Amino acid sequence: MLHTKTVNQLLGFPANARLLIINADDFGMCYAENEATIQVIRMGFATSCSIMVPCAWSLHAIQLLKAHPDIPFGVHLTAVSEHPYYRWGPVAARHEVPSLVDEAGYFYSEARIPEFLPKASLREIEVEFRAQIETVLASGLRPTHLDSHCLVHTRRDDVFDMTVGLAREYGLALRVGNARYKDRMKKYGLPADDHPTLDSYRLEAQDKPFLYPNLLRELPAGLSEWAIHPALGSAELRAIAPEWETRQADLDFFACERARDIVAEEGIILLSYRPLQQLMLTGTPAA
């Protein structure tokens, strides 16, 4: 069902409303990420987060979500393990998803995505994605949406279509970060952001204190999403990620009072994925 309404119309907002989802990605990657994610949602102005189920600290993240049941969260579908000394592999048994693991039995690194993605089995990606979703559901938690680590679900048409199918099956919204797949979402009759997703990992850490305020003030009408990556700049994080400063910079900005003031001054409407999930569940646009 092709729909022609804007997301603002589907959600019942005026055409000139500036809607923003701020999602903290990589929840569950490590302790430093977990603590910062809770801070930017409970004390700051992030609106949602997404959990990396294959990571060692996902159990801690699940317990934090149980302790804060009002926090909206998604499943950060993961098939890439990018850090050289801290790695993770599939939730499904390795023999069930052999095309997804490297010589050491972990997911491929980000640098090897061009090698991994063409040969990865669609069936095995679905097996792994489904295992991650089912792990969250088995804990008693109920996510609002799906997105993916390193944008795996928007790197191949068949993977994207399969992920849309999972979103529909489980009644979840879906992050779509580029124009090509936004058009496919409309053909499916499903809502998507109006603008490209901002990935905080692509921004220089030293620029963030000045860049984020400007981006908020220049936010266009319609629905935007920012994928941020807050973490404490602890010894743990520094050992994991040489580029740890970009995560600390996200924590510094998104937990600060100045940022909340800018949002209020600009009249920006902060949303989680719950309204988009409701559209997925009802199957019909809002009046």
Side-chain angles (χ1 to χ4, degrees):
M1 176 185 67
L2 177 64
H3 69 71
T4 57
K5 289 186 177 182
T6 66
V7 177
N8 284 34
Q9 289 174 310
L10 293 173
L11 296 177
F13 290 103
N16 62 349
R18 301 153 75 194
L19 313 177
L20 178 60
I21 295 170
I22 302 174
N23 190 84
D25 286 12
D26 297 359
F27 192 43
M29 187 189 82
C30 61
Y31 178 81
E33 197 86 26
N34 290 357
E35 289 298 302
T37 296
I38 295 298
Q39 283 188 40
V40 298
I41 295 177
R42 302 297 292 178
M43 301 167 55
F45 71 106
T47 57
S48 180
C49 62
S50 47
I51 184 170
M52 293 180 72
V53 178
C55 295
W57 281 86
S58 63
L59 293 176
H60 180 242
I62 285 171
Q63 293 307 311
L64 288 173
L65 290 171
K66 288 183 175 181
H68 302 282
D70 57 319
I71 292 179
F73 77 97
V75 181
H76 200 50
L77 298 168
T78 302
V80 172
S81 177
E82 70 273 26
H83 300 296
Y85 307 120
Y86 172 52
R87 306 196 64 195
W88 46 81
V91 173
R94 281 171 169 76
H95 71 267
E96 294 182 339
V97 291
S99 71
L100 306 190
V101 296
D102 66 8
E103 302 82 359
Y106 299 107
F107 288 138
Y108 284 84
S109 67
E110 188 172 12
R112 294 180 70 183
I113 287 177
E115 170 192 352
F116 148 70
L117 202 60
K119 67 179 183 181
S121 160
L122 178 65
R123 185 193 65 79
E124 293 174 18
I125 296 173
E126 180 175 357
V127 166
E128 177 59 26
F129 282 5
R130 190 180 294 275
Q132 293 177 23
I133 297 167
E134 290 289 348
T135 298
V136 171
L137 295 176
S139 75
L141 295 171
R142 291 296 177 266
T144 60
H145 71 282
L146 301 175
D147 51 43
S148 72
H149 192 53
C150 299
L151 305 175
V152 167
H153 79 293
T154 59
R155 290 176 181 265
R156 246 174 60 180
D157 286 357
D158 59 345
V159 175
F160 177 77
D161 292 337
M162 177 272 292
T163 309
V164 170
L166 290 176
R168 283 177 146 166
E169 177 182 343
Y170 288 100
L172 304 174
L174 177 65
R175 173 189 291 168
V176 184
N178 63 58
R180 177 182 179 186
Y181 289 111
K182 292 179 197 301
D183 290 340
R184 290 171 80 95
M185 288 288 278
K186 290 181 179 179
K187 290 179 182 178
Y188 285 129
L190 302 175
D193 301 350
D194 292 302
H195 309 291
T197 300
L198 183 146
D199 183 347
S200 75
Y201 232 77
R202 303 291 180 250
L203 308 177
E204 295 293 335
Q206 66 269 20
D207 296 337
K208 290 181 177 182
F210 314 102
L211 184 59
Y212 281 140
N214 290 336
L215 290 171
L216 285 172
R217 294 187 177 101
E218 296 169 1
L219 193 76
L223 178 62
S224 301
E225 182 181 3
W226 292 5
I228 65 172
H229 303 79
L232 303 170
S234 61
E236 176 202 37
L237 183 69
R238 295 181 190 207
I240 291 171
E243 69 289 354
W244 63 269
E245 294 98 333
T246 193
R247 295 178 185 264
Q248 177 69 61
D250 281 359
L251 172 61
D252 292 342
F253 182 79
F254 289 97
C256 76
E257 187 173 345
R258 175 188 174 215
R260 295 194 298 274
D261 290 344
I262 294 172
V263 169
E265 290 165 6
E266 293 294 320
I268 294 169
I269 299 169
L270 298 177
L271 298 177
S272 72
Y273 264 104
R274 281 182 176 143
L276 296 180
Q277 181 188 27
Q278 185 58 38
L279 290 176
M280 295 283 287
L281 289 170
T282 61
T284 57

